[in-house]
Amino acid sequence: MSTNVLRTPDGWWVVRGERAVRIDSKAVTTAELLADRDAVREAAASSESGTPAADLMALPPVTTPCRVVAQMVNYRSHAKDSGFTGDIPPAFFRKASGSVSGPHETIVRPAHVKFLDYEVELGLVMGAPLPVGTVVEERDLPQYVAGLVLTNDVSARDVQLTKTQFYESKSYPTFTPTGPYLALLEPEDFDRLLDLRLRLSVNGVPRQDRTLADMIVRPAQALTLLARFQTLDPGDLLLTGTPGGTALKAPPKPVEKIAALLPPALKWKAFFNGQARNPRYLRNGDLVTAAISTPDGHIDLGEQRNAVADAA
């Protein structure tokens, strides 16, 4: 059974139902906590009733600085929405760890960003070094992945598309809400990964809803591909892609063919004029709610509730 860990300004806690028990650990970073699993197990096995979890202020359970890596177009439904056909080559990009924010923290839209989008994603938190050249089989996942977190890969689409700039468009402060829980997994829990269901709604209206069965490149293969060129360390975070249902969608094929004949400046102007009529982009005052869990709650990463506000 997975163990849910909460991070607060006062330290680390194991959450059991609606109660939380403090972890007796001097760990400050996620990597340090992962090296002190005995303390986590003692808290999980404690007989004390604990503190109401709802009374605690949840911080992101992944501490920074750390590496934040993400997979691009890694769900079949998202690939369809994005206009991809045929095989999609696996691709990765980096996010600044300064974008990591709390599970209930306000998402701040920079003044120059007009098209702010959401992407609920499962995050893998590394528990052991992944050296360059490592080959990870499905059975090896428990050796490298300590646990899972709920994340939202918030994206400034006008920056991403016009500049072909993933790093900037996804790295502004508050653009990676993370948590509330770090779900530390036991080896048998990894057999349940494909049962995990990702859900996101805006103002109570469902936008994204898929299980990991929709995933194209699954975690073991993703880590193998990433290890061709990238080292990961304990506490680092890999975002594994988002399902369909984001605000951004590819234009219909006839429109796309016509746009291809236009000069780049006119093409983007026409595209964003059309996007301006799309009501699904995030706006000041919106509330984004996201959750990831198995149907039976065996693994439950908790719920994010993030208001959206324009930068002052």
Side-chain angles (χ1 to χ4, degrees), residues 198-257:
L198 290 72
R199 291 172 291 157
L200 182 143
S201 64
V202 179
N203 301 327
V205 179
R207 298 285 183 85
Q208 295 182 278
D209 189 347
R210 285 290 193 285
T211 69
L212 258 67
D214 189 35
M215 188 179 276
I216 298 170
V217 176
R218 294 176 180 174
Q221 183 186 1
L223 291 175
T224 299
L225 293 170
L226 191 57
R228 293 180 302 180
F229 61 91
Q230 171 75 76
T231 296
L232 293 177
D233 290 310
D236 286 344
L237 177 61
L238 172 62
L239 279 60
T240 56
T242 196
T246 60
L248 179 67
K249 288 182 173 55
K253 289 299 179 184
V255 174
E256 187 177 346
K257 289 179 180 179

Side-chain angles (χ1 to χ4, degrees), residues 16 21 42-50:
R16 301 183 308 209
V21 176
E42 288 177 10
S46 172
S47 60
E48 60 178 283
S49 61

Side-chain angles (χ1 to χ4, degrees), residues 118-158:
Y118 49 83
E119 295 187 7
V120 62
E121 304 206 12
L122 176 70
L124 309 182
V125 179
M126 302 304 295
L130 183 80
V132 170
T134 303
V135 175
V136 182
E137 304 289 347
E138 293 287 340
R139 63 179 180 273
D140 302 326
L141 276 175
Q143 298 180 33
Y144 297 101
V145 177
L148 311 175
V149 289
L150 164 63
T151 66
N152 186 352
D153 179 21
V154 179
S155 306
R157 296 302 192 190
D158 32 354

Side-chain angles (χ1 to χ4, degrees), residues 19 22 33 66 78 122 155 159 209 241 286:
R19 312 290 290 185
R22 187 186 294 275
L33 181 76
C66 66
H78 190 206
L122 176 70
S155 306
V159 175
D209 189 347
D286 283 346

Side-chain angles (χ1 to χ4, degrees), residues 30-51:
T30 303
E32 290 170 348
L33 181 76
L34 295 176
D36 197 5
R37 289 291 289 268
D38 286 344
V40 177
R41 293 188 183 97
E42 288 177 10
S46 172
S47 60
E48 60 178 283
S49 61
T51 299

